[in-house]
Coordinates of all heavy atoms in Angstrom, one line a residue:
K1 N 2.8 -12.0 12.5 CA 2.7 -11.6 11.1 C 2.6 -10.1 10.8 O 2.9 -9.7 9.7 CB 1.6 -12.4 10.4 CG 1.7 -13.8 10.4 CD 1.0 -14.4 9.2 CE 1.5 -15.8 9.0 NZ 1.6 -16.3 7.8
A2 N 2.0 -9.4 11.7 CA 1.7 -8.0 11.5 C 3.1 -7.2 11.3 O 3.2 -6.2 10.5 CB 1.1 -7.2 12.7
L3 N 4.0 -7.7 11.9 CA 5.4 -7.1 11.7 C 5.9 -7.1 10.3 O 6.7 -6.2 9.8 CB 6.5 -7.7 12.7 CG 6.4 -7.2 14.1 CD1 7.5 -8.0 14.9 CD2 6.5 -5.8 14.3
Q4 N 5.5 -8.1 9.5 CA 6.0 -8.1 8.1 C 5.5 -7.0 7.3 O 5.9 -6.8 6.2 CB 5.7 -9.6 7.6 CG 4.4 -9.8 7.2 CD 4.1 -11.3 6.8 OE1 4.9 -12.0 6.8 NE2 2.8 -11.5 6.4
F5 N 4.5 -6.4 7.8 CA 3.9 -5.2 7.1 C 4.2 -3.7 7.6 O 3.7 -2.8 7.5 CB 2.5 -5.3 6.9 CG 1.9 -6.6 6.2 CD1 1.4 -7.6 6.8 CD2 2.2 -6.6 4.8 CE1 1.0 -8.8 6.2 CE2 1.8 -7.7 4.1 CZ 1.3 -8.8 4.7
T6 N 5.2 -3.9 8.6 CA 5.8 -2.7 9.3 C 7.2 -2.4 8.8 O 8.0 -3.4 8.6 CB 5.7 -3.0 10.9 OG1 4.5 -3.5 11.2 CG2 6.2 -1.8 11.6
S7 N 7.5 -1.2 8.6 CA 8.7 -0.6 8.1 C 9.9 -1.0 9.0 O 9.8 -1.1 10.2 CB 8.8 0.8 7.8 OG 8.7 1.6 8.8
K8 N 10.9 -1.4 8.3 CA 12.2 -1.6 9.0 C 12.6 -0.4 10.1 O 13.0 -0.7 11.3 CB 13.3 -2.0 8.2 CG 14.7 -2.3 8.7 CD 15.7 -2.5 7.7 CE 17.0 -2.8 8.4 NZ 18.1 -3.1 7.3
E9 N 12.4 0.9 9.5 CA 12.7 1.9 10.4 C 11.9 2.0 11.6 O 12.4 2.3 12.7 CB 12.4 3.3 9.4 CG 12.3 4.5 10.1 CD 11.7 5.6 9.3 OE1 11.6 5.4 8.1 OE2 11.3 6.7 10.0
S10 N 10.5 1.6 11.5 CA 9.6 1.6 12.6 C 10.1 0.6 13.7 O 10.0 0.9 14.8 CB 8.2 1.6 12.2 OG 7.8 2.5 11.4
I11 N 10.3 -0.6 13.1 CA 10.8 -1.8 14.1 C 12.1 -1.3 14.8 O 12.2 -1.6 16.0 CB 10.9 -3.1 13.2 CG1 9.6 -3.4 12.7 CG2 11.6 -4.2 14.2 CD1 9.6 -4.6 11.7
E12 N 13.0 -0.7 14.1 CA 14.2 -0.4 14.8 C 14.0 0.7 15.8 O 14.7 0.8 16.8 CB 15.3 0.2 13.7 CG 15.9 -1.0 12.8 CD 16.7 -0.5 11.7 OE1 16.8 0.7 11.5 OE2 17.3 -1.5 11.1
K13 N 13.2 1.7 15.5 CA 12.8 2.7 16.4 C 12.1 2.3 17.6 O 12.4 2.8 18.7 CB 12.0 3.9 15.5 CG 11.8 5.1 16.4 CD 10.8 6.0 15.7 CE 11.4 6.5 14.4 NZ 10.6 7.4 13.7
H14 N 11.1 1.5 17.5 CA 10.2 1.2 18.7 C 10.5 -0.1 19.2 O 10.2 -0.4 20.4 CB 8.8 1.3 18.2 CG 8.3 2.6 17.7 ND1 8.2 3.7 18.5 CD2 8.0 3.1 16.5 CE1 7.8 4.8 17.9 NE2 7.6 4.4 16.5
G15 N 10.9 -1.1 18.6 CA 11.2 -2.4 18.9 C 9.9 -3.4 18.5 O 8.7 -2.9 18.6
A16 N 10.2 -4.6 18.2 CA 9.1 -5.5 17.8 C 8.1 -5.7 18.9 O 6.9 -5.8 18.5 CB 9.8 -6.9 17.4
D17 N 8.5 -6.0 20.1 CA 7.6 -6.3 21.1 C 6.6 -5.2 21.5 O 5.4 -5.3 21.6 CB 8.3 -6.7 22.5 CG 9.0 -8.1 22.4 OD1 8.6 -8.8 21.5 OD2 10.0 -8.2 23.1
V18 N 7.2 -3.8 21.4 CA 6.3 -2.7 21.7 C 5.3 -2.6 20.5 O 4.1 -2.2 20.8 CB 7.2 -1.4 21.8 CG1 6.3 -0.1 21.8 CG2 8.1 -1.5 23.0
I19 N 5.7 -2.7 19.3 CA 4.8 -2.7 18.1 C 3.7 -3.6 18.2 O 2.5 -3.4 18.0 CB 5.6 -2.6 16.9 CG1 6.5 -1.4 16.7 CG2 4.6 -2.9 15.7 CD1 7.4 -1.5 15.6
L20 N 4.1 -4.9 18.6 CA 3.0 -6.0 18.6 C 2.1 -5.7 19.7 O 0.8 -5.9 19.5 CB 3.7 -7.3 18.8 CG 4.5 -7.8 17.5 CD1 5.2 -9.2 17.9 CD2 3.5 -8.3 16.4
N21 N 2.5 -5.2 20.9 CA 1.6 -4.8 22.0 C 0.6 -3.7 21.5 O -0.5 -3.7 21.8 CB 2.3 -4.5 23.2 CG 2.9 -5.8 23.8 OD1 2.4 -6.8 23.7 ND2 4.0 -5.4 24.7
K22 N 1.2 -2.8 20.7 CA 0.4 -1.6 20.2 C -0.7 -2.2 19.3 O -1.9 -1.9 19.3 CB 1.2 -0.6 19.6 CG 0.4 0.6 19.0 CD -0.3 1.3 20.2 CE -1.1 2.5 19.6 NZ -1.8 3.1 20.7
Y23 N -0.3 -3.1 18.3 CA -1.3 -3.7 17.4 C -2.3 -4.4 18.1 O -3.5 -4.3 17.7 CB -0.5 -4.5 16.3 CG 0.4 -3.8 15.3 CD1 1.3 -4.6 14.7 CD2 0.2 -2.6 15.1 CE1 2.1 -4.0 13.7 CE2 1.0 -1.9 14.1 CZ 1.8 -2.5 13.3 OH 2.6 -2.1 12.3
K24 N -2.0 -5.3 19.1 CA -3.0 -6.1 19.9 C -3.9 -5.0 20.5 O -5.1 -5.6 20.8 CB -2.3 -6.9 20.9 CG -1.5 -8.1 20.2 CD -0.8 -8.9 21.2 CE 0.1 -10.0 20.5 NZ 0.8 -10.7 21.6
S25 N -3.6 -4.0 21.0 CA -4.5 -3.0 21.7 C -5.4 -2.3 20.8 O -6.3 -1.6 21.3 CB -3.6 -2.1 22.6 OG -3.0 -1.1 21.9
L26 N -5.2 -2.2 19.6 CA -6.1 -1.4 18.7 C -7.3 -1.9 18.5 O -7.6 -3.1 18.5 CB -5.2 -1.3 17.3 CG -3.9 -0.6 17.2 CD1 -3.3 -0.8 15.8 CD2 -4.1 0.8 17.6
K27 N -8.3 -0.9 18.5 CA -9.7 -1.3 18.2 C -10.0 -0.9 16.7 O -9.9 0.3 16.4 CB -10.7 -0.5 19.2 CG -10.6 -1.0 20.6 CD -11.5 -0.1 21.5 CE -11.5 -0.6 22.8 NZ -10.3 -1.0 23.5
T28 N -10.1 -2.0 15.8 CA -10.3 -1.8 14.6 C -11.6 -2.2 13.9 O -11.6 -2.8 12.9 CB -9.1 -2.3 13.7 OG1 -9.0 -3.7 14.1 CG2 -7.8 -1.7 14.0
D29 N -12.6 -2.0 14.7 CA -14.0 -2.5 14.2 C -14.7 -1.5 13.5 O -16.1 -1.3 13.8 CB -14.7 -3.2 15.4 CG -14.9 -2.2 16.6 OD1 -14.2 -1.1 16.6 OD2 -15.7 -2.4 17.4
Y30 N -14.1 -0.7 12.7 CA -14.8 0.2 11.9 C -14.4 0.1 10.5 O -13.4 -0.5 10.2 CB -14.6 1.7 12.3 CG -13.1 2.0 12.8 CD1 -12.2 2.3 11.7 CD2 -12.7 1.8 14.0 CE1 -10.9 2.4 12.1 CE2 -11.3 2.1 14.4 CZ -10.5 2.4 13.3 OH -9.2 2.6 13.6
T31 N -15.2 0.6 9.6 CA -14.9 0.5 8.1 C -14.1 1.8 7.6 O -14.5 2.8 7.9 CB -16.4 0.5 7.2 OG1 -17.0 -0.6 7.9 CG2 -16.0 0.3 5.9
L32 N -13.1 1.6 6.8 CA -12.3 2.5 6.3 C -12.6 2.7 4.7 O -12.8 1.8 4.1 CB -10.9 2.2 6.4 CG -10.3 2.1 7.8 CD1 -8.8 1.6 7.8 CD2 -10.3 3.5 8.5
V33 N -12.7 4.0 4.3 CA -13.0 4.3 2.9 C -11.9 5.2 2.4 O -11.7 6.3 3.1 CB -14.3 5.0 2.7 CG1 -14.5 5.2 1.2 CG2 -15.5 4.0 3.2
K34 N -11.1 4.7 1.4 CA -10.0 5.7 1.0 C -10.5 6.9 0.4 O -11.4 7.0 -0.4 CB -9.1 4.9 -0.2 CG -8.0 5.6 -0.5 CD -7.1 4.8 -1.4 CE -5.9 5.7 -2.0 NZ -5.3 5.1 -3.1
A35 N -9.9 8.1 1.0 CA -10.3 9.4 0.5 C -9.3 10.0 -0.3 O -9.6 10.7 -1.4 CB -10.4 10.3 1.6
S36 N -8.0 9.7 -0.1 CA -7.0 10.4 -1.0 C -5.5 9.7 -0.7 O -5.4 9.0 0.3 CB -6.8 12.0 -0.8 OG -6.4 12.1 0.6
S37 N -4.6 10.0 -1.5 CA -3.1 9.6 -1.3 C -2.3 10.7 -1.7 O -2.6 11.5 -2.6 CB -2.9 8.3 -1.9 OG -3.0 8.5 -3.3
S38 N -1.2 10.9 -1.1 CA -0.2 11.9 -1.5 C 1.2 11.3 -1.3 O 1.4 10.5 -0.4 CB -0.4 13.2 -0.7 OG -0.1 13.0 0.7
K39 N 2.2 11.7 -2.0 CA 3.6 11.2 -2.0 C 4.6 12.4 -1.7 O 4.5 13.4 -2.1 CB 3.9 10.7 -3.4 CG 5.2 9.8 -3.5 CD 5.3 8.9 -4.6 CE 6.6 8.3 -4.6 NZ 6.6 7.2 -3.7
S40 N 5.4 12.0 -0.8 CA 6.5 13.0 -0.3 C 7.9 12.2 -0.3 O 8.0 11.4 0.6 CB 6.2 13.7 1.0 OG 7.2 14.4 1.4
G41 N 8.6 12.4 -1.2 CA 9.7 11.6 -1.2 C 9.6 10.0 -1.4 O 8.8 9.7 -2.3
S42 N 10.1 9.2 -0.5 CA 9.7 7.7 -0.5 C 8.5 7.3 0.2 O 8.1 6.2 0.2 CB 11.0 7.0 0.0 OG 11.2 7.3 1.3
Q43 N 7.9 8.2 0.9 CA 6.8 7.9 1.8 C 5.4 8.4 1.0 O 5.4 9.4 0.3 CB 6.8 8.7 3.1 CG 8.0 8.3 3.9 CD 7.8 8.8 5.2 OE1 7.3 9.8 5.5 NE2 8.5 8.2 6.3
T44 N 4.4 7.5 1.1 CA 3.1 7.9 0.6 C 2.2 7.9 1.8 O 2.1 7.0 2.7 CB 2.6 6.7 -0.3 OG1 3.6 6.7 -1.4 CG2 1.3 7.0 -0.9
T45 N 1.3 8.9 1.9 CA 0.2 9.0 2.9 C -0.9 8.6 2.3 O -1.5 9.2 1.4 CB 0.3 10.4 3.6 OG1 1.5 10.7 4.1 CG2 -0.9 10.5 4.6
L46 N -1.7 7.6 2.9 CA -3.0 7.1 2.5 C -4.0 7.6 3.5 O -3.9 7.3 4.7 CB -3.0 5.6 2.4 CG -2.0 4.9 1.6 CD1 -2.1 3.5 1.8 CD2 -2.2 5.4 0.1
R47 N -5.1 8.5 3.1 CA -5.9 8.9 4.0 C -7.3 8.3 3.8 O -7.8 8.1 2.8 CB -6.2 10.5 3.7 CG -7.2 11.1 4.6 CD -7.2 12.5 4.6 NE -6.4 12.9 5.7 CZ -6.1 14.2 6.1 NH1 -6.9 15.1 5.6 NH2 -5.3 14.4 7.2
Y48 N -7.8 7.8 4.9 CA -9.0 7.2 5.0 C -10.0 7.9 5.7 O -9.8 8.5 6.7 CB -8.9 5.8 5.4 CG -8.2 4.8 4.5 CD1 -6.7 4.8 4.5 CD2 -8.9 4.0 3.6 CE1 -6.0 3.9 3.8 CE2 -8.0 3.1 2.8 CZ -6.7 3.2 2.8 OH -6.0 2.3 1.9
T49 N -11.5 7.8 5.4 CA -12.4 8.3 6.3 C -13.0 7.2 6.9 O -13.2 6.1 6.4 CB -13.5 9.0 5.3 OG1 -14.0 8.3 4.4 CG2 -12.9 10.3 4.8
T50 N -13.6 7.5 8.1 CA -14.4 6.4 9.0 C -15.4 7.1 9.7 O -15.3 8.3 10.0 CB -13.5 5.6 9.8 OG1 -14.1 4.5 10.4 CG2 -12.8 6.4 10.8
N51 N -16.4 6.3 10.0 CA -17.3 6.8 10.9 C -17.3 6.1 12.3 O -17.8 5.0 12.4 CB -18.8 6.7 10.4 CG -19.8 7.5 11.1 OD1 -19.7 8.0 12.2 ND2 -21.0 7.5 10.4
E52 N -16.6 6.6 13.2 CA -16.3 6.0 14.5 C -17.1 6.7 15.6 O -17.0 8.0 15.8 CB -14.7 6.2 14.7 CG -14.2 5.4 15.8 CD -12.7 5.7 15.9 OE1 -12.1 6.3 15.1 OE2 -12.2 5.1 17.0
F53 N -17.9 6.0 16.2 CA -18.8 6.5 17.3 C -19.7 7.6 16.8 O -19.7 8.7 17.4 CB -18.1 7.0 18.6 CG -17.1 5.9 19.1 CD1 -15.8 6.0 19.0 CD2 -17.7 4.8 19.6 CE1 -14.9 5.0 19.5 CE2 -16.9 3.6 20.1 CZ -15.5 3.9 20.1
A54 N -20.2 7.5 15.6 CA -21.1 8.4 14.9 C -20.4 9.7 14.6 O -21.1 10.8 14.4 CB -22.4 8.7 15.7
T55 N -19.1 9.7 14.6 CA -18.4 11.0 14.2 C -17.5 10.8 13.0 O -16.7 9.6 13.0 CB -17.5 11.3 15.4 OG1 -18.2 11.6 16.5 CG2 -16.6 12.6 15.1
S56 N -17.6 11.4 12.0 CA -16.7 11.2 10.8 C -15.4 11.6 11.0 O -15.1 12.8 11.7 CB -17.3 12.0 9.6 OG -16.5 11.8 8.4
K57 N -14.3 10.7 10.8 CA -12.9 11.1 11.2 C -12.1 10.6 9.9 O -12.5 9.8 9.2 CB -12.4 10.2 12.3 CG -12.9 10.7 13.7 CD -12.3 9.7 14.7 CE -12.3 10.5 15.9 NZ -11.5 9.7 17.1
Y58 N -10.8 11.2 9.9 CA -9.8 10.9 9.1 C -8.7 9.9 9.6 O -8.5 10.3 10.9 CB -9.1 12.0 8.4 CG -9.9 12.8 7.4 CD1 -10.3 14.0 7.8 CD2 -10.1 12.3 6.1 CE1 -11.2 14.8 6.9 CE2 -10.8 13.1 5.2 CZ -11.3 14.2 5.6 OH -12.1 15.0 4.7
K59 N -8.3 8.9 9.1 CA -7.1 8.1 9.6 C -6.1 8.2 8.5 O -6.5 7.8 7.3 CB -7.6 6.6 9.8 CG -8.9 6.5 10.8 CD -8.5 6.6 12.2 CE -9.7 6.2 13.1 NZ -9.3 6.4 14.5
D60 N -4.9 8.5 8.9 CA -3.8 8.6 7.9 C -2.8 7.4 8.2 O -2.6 7.1 9.3 CB -3.1 9.9 8.1 CG -3.9 11.0 7.5 OD1 -4.8 10.9 6.7 OD2 -3.5 12.2 7.8
F61 N -2.4 6.8 7.1 CA -1.5 5.7 7.1 C -0.3 6.2 6.3 O -0.5 6.5 5.0 CB -2.0 4.4 6.6 CG -3.1 3.9 7.3 CD1 -4.5 4.2 7.1 CD2 -2.9 2.9 8.3 CE1 -5.6 3.7 7.8 CE2 -3.9 2.5 9.2 CZ -5.2 2.8 8.9
V62 N 1.0 6.2 6.8 CA 2.2 6.5 6.0 C 2.8 5.1 5.6 O 3.0 4.4 6.6 CB 3.1 7.4 6.8 CG1 4.3 7.7 5.9 CG2 2.4 8.8 7.2
V63 N 3.2 5.0 4.4 CA 3.6 3.7 3.9 C 5.0 4.0 3.0 O 5.1 5.1 2.5 CB 2.7 2.9 3.1 CG1 1.5 2.4 4.0 CG2 2.1 3.6 2.0
V64 N 5.8 3.0 3.0 CA 6.9 3.0 2.1 C 7.0 1.7 1.4 O 6.4 0.7 1.8 CB 8.3 3.3 2.9 CG1 8.4 4.6 3.5 CG2 8.5 2.1 4.0
V65 N 7.7 1.5 0.3 CA 7.9 0.3 -0.3 C 9.4 -0.3 0.1 O 10.2 0.5 -0.1 CB 7.8 0.4 -1.8 CG1 8.2 -0.8 -2.5 CG2 6.5 0.8 -2.2
E66 N 9.3 -1.5 0.6 CA 10.7 -2.0 0.9 C 10.6 -3.5 0.4 O 9.7 -4.2 0.7 CB 10.7 -2.1 2.5 CG 11.0 -0.9 3.3 CD 11.0 -1.0 4.8 OE1 10.8 -2.1 5.3 OE2 11.3 -0.1 5.5
N67 N 11.5 -3.9 -0.4 CA 11.8 -5.3 -0.9 C 10.3 -5.6 -1.7 O 9.6 -6.7 -1.5 CB 11.9 -6.3 0.1 CG 13.2 -6.0 0.9 OD1 14.2 -5.6 0.3 ND2 13.3 -6.2 2.1
D68 N 9.9 -4.7 -2.6 CA 8.7 -4.9 -3.3 C 7.4 -5.0 -2.4 O 6.4 -5.6 -3.0 CB 8.8 -6.0 -4.3 CG 9.9 -5.7 -5.4 OD1 10.0 -4.5 -5.6 OD2 10.6 -6.7 -5.7
S69 N 7.3 -4.6 -1.2 CA 6.1 -4.7 -0.4 C 5.8 -3.4 0.3 O 6.7 -2.6 0.6 CB 6.5 -5.8 0.8 OG 6.6 -7.1 0.2
C70 N 4.7 -3.1 0.5 CA 4.1 -1.9 1.1 C 4.3 -2.1 2.6 O 3.7 -3.0 3.2 CB 2.6 -1.6 0.7 SG 2.0 -0.1 1.5
K71 N 4.9 -1.2 3.3 CA 5.1 -1.3 4.7 C 4.7 0.0 5.5 O 4.9 1.1 5.0 CB 6.6 -1.5 5.0 CG 7.3 -2.7 4.3 CD 7.1 -4.0 4.9 CE 7.7 -5.1 4.1 NZ 8.6 -5.8 4.9
L72 N 4.1 -0.2 6.6 CA 3.6 0.9 7.6 C 4.7 1.5 8.2 O 5.5 0.9 8.8 CB 2.6 0.2 8.4 CG 1.7 1.2 9.2 CD1 0.8 2.1 8.3 CD2 0.8 0.4 10.2
V73 N 4.7 2.8 8.2 CA 5.6 3.6 9.0 C 4.8 4.2 10.2 O 3.9 4.9 10.1 CB 6.1 4.8 8.1 CG1 7.2 5.8 8.9 CG2 6.9 4.4 6.9
L74 N 5.3 3.8 11.3 CA 4.6 4.2 12.5 C 5.0 5.6 13.0 O 6.1 5.9 12.9 CB 4.8 3.2 13.6 CG 4.2 1.8 13.3 CD1 4.7 0.9 14.4 CD2 2.8 1.9 13.2
P75 N 4.2 6.4 13.5 CA 4.6 7.7 14.1 C 5.6 7.6 15.2 O 5.7 6.6 15.9 CB 3.3 8.3 14.5 CG 2.4 7.2 15.0 CD 2.8 6.1 14.0
N76 N 6.3 8.7 15.5 CA 7.3 8.7 16.7 C 6.5 8.4 17.9 O 7.1 7.7 18.8 CB 8.0 10.1 16.7 CG 9.0 10.3 15.6 OD1 9.5 9.4 15.1 ND2 9.1 11.5 15.2
N77 N 5.4 8.9 18.2 CA 4.6 8.5 19.4 C 3.5 7.6 19.0 O 2.6 7.9 18.1 CB 4.0 9.7 20.0 CG 3.2 9.5 21.3 OD1 3.0 8.4 21.6 ND2 2.7 10.8 21.8
L78 N 3.8 6.3 19.4 CA 2.8 5.3 19.1 C 1.3 5.5 19.5 O 0.4 5.0 18.8 CB 3.2 3.8 19.5 CG 4.4 3.3 18.9 CD1 4.9 2.0 19.5 CD2 4.2 3.1 17.3
D79 N 1.2 6.3 20.5 CA -0.1 6.7 21.0 C -0.9 7.5 19.9 O -2.1 7.6 19.9 CB -0.2 7.4 22.2 CG 0.2 6.5 23.5 OD1 0.0 5.4 23.3 OD2 0.8 7.0 24.5
D80 N -0.2 8.1 18.9 CA -0.8 8.8 17.9 C -1.3 7.9 16.8 O -1.9 8.5 15.8 CB 0.2 10.0 17.4 CG 0.5 11.0 18.3 OD1 -0.4 11.2 19.2 OD2 1.5 11.6 18.2
F81 N -0.8 6.7 16.7 CA -1.2 5.8 15.6 C -2.8 5.6 15.7 O -3.3 5.2 16.6 CB -0.5 4.6 15.7 CG -0.8 3.5 14.6 CD1 -0.5 3.9 13.3 CD2 -1.1 2.3 14.9 CE1 -0.8 3.0 12.3 CE2 -1.4 1.4 13.9 CZ -1.2 1.8 12.6
L82 N -3.5 5.8 14.5 CA -4.9 5.6 14.4 C -5.7 6.5 15.2 O -6.8 6.2 15.5 CB -5.2 4.2 14.5 CG -4.7 3.1 13.4 CD1 -5.3 1.8 13.7 CD2 -5.2 3.6 12.1
K83 N -5.2 7.6 15.6 CA -6.2 8.5 16.4 C -7.1 9.4 15.6 O -6.8 9.6 14.4 CB -5.2 9.6 17.2 CG -4.9 9.0 18.6 CD -4.5 10.0 19.4 CE -4.4 9.3 20.9 NZ -4.1 10.3 21.9

């Protein structure tokens, strides 16, 4: 189901199996608080703050709208996702 919220561009670039494995490996047991958003062309960057291991960090999510749904655009290097 996670792939339905992933951009077509990202799926074509990385492949569905690689993306699903990345999603399964993510540690997401922290709270996100929206800090800001900015738009560049068809992409919107959503910036969230989190307190991870007692350290305040930013997490950026790039999204696009495809078929009336918000879809996540993954970075070229999947290891950079949610760093």
Side-chain angles (χ1 to χ4, degrees):
K1 291 214 173 207
L3 284 179
Q4 68 187 6
F5 299 106
T6 306
S7 71
K8 182 179 176 183
E9 166 193 347
S10 294
I11 295 169
E12 289 173 353
K13 183 186 300 178
H14 299 291
D17 290 338
V18 172
I19 293 170
L20 286 175
N21 286 334
K22 181 62 178 179
Y23 286 162
K24 288 176 188 174
S25 73
L26 293 175
K27 293 178 177 34
T28 57
D29 56 346
Y30 44 80
T31 301
L32 297 171
V33 177
K34 187 175 175 192
S36 66
S37 64
S38 60
K39 190 162 175 74
S40 176
S42 64
Q43 296 186 337
T44 300
T45 301
L46 305 172
R47 175 165 274 192
Y48 291 84
T49 58
T50 187
N51 193 345
E52 192 176 351
F53 305 114
T55 303
S56 184
K57 288 181 148 187
Y58 288 108
K59 303 281 186 183
D60 291 338
F61 297 87
V62 178
V63 297
V64 294
V65 175
E66 292 177 359
N67 301 322
D68 296 326
S69 296
C70 182
K71 308 283 180 119
L72 188 62
V73 178
L74 298 172
N76 289 331
N77 182 350
L78 287 179
D79 290 336
D80 291 338
F81 183 56
L82 290 183
K83 274 200 168 187

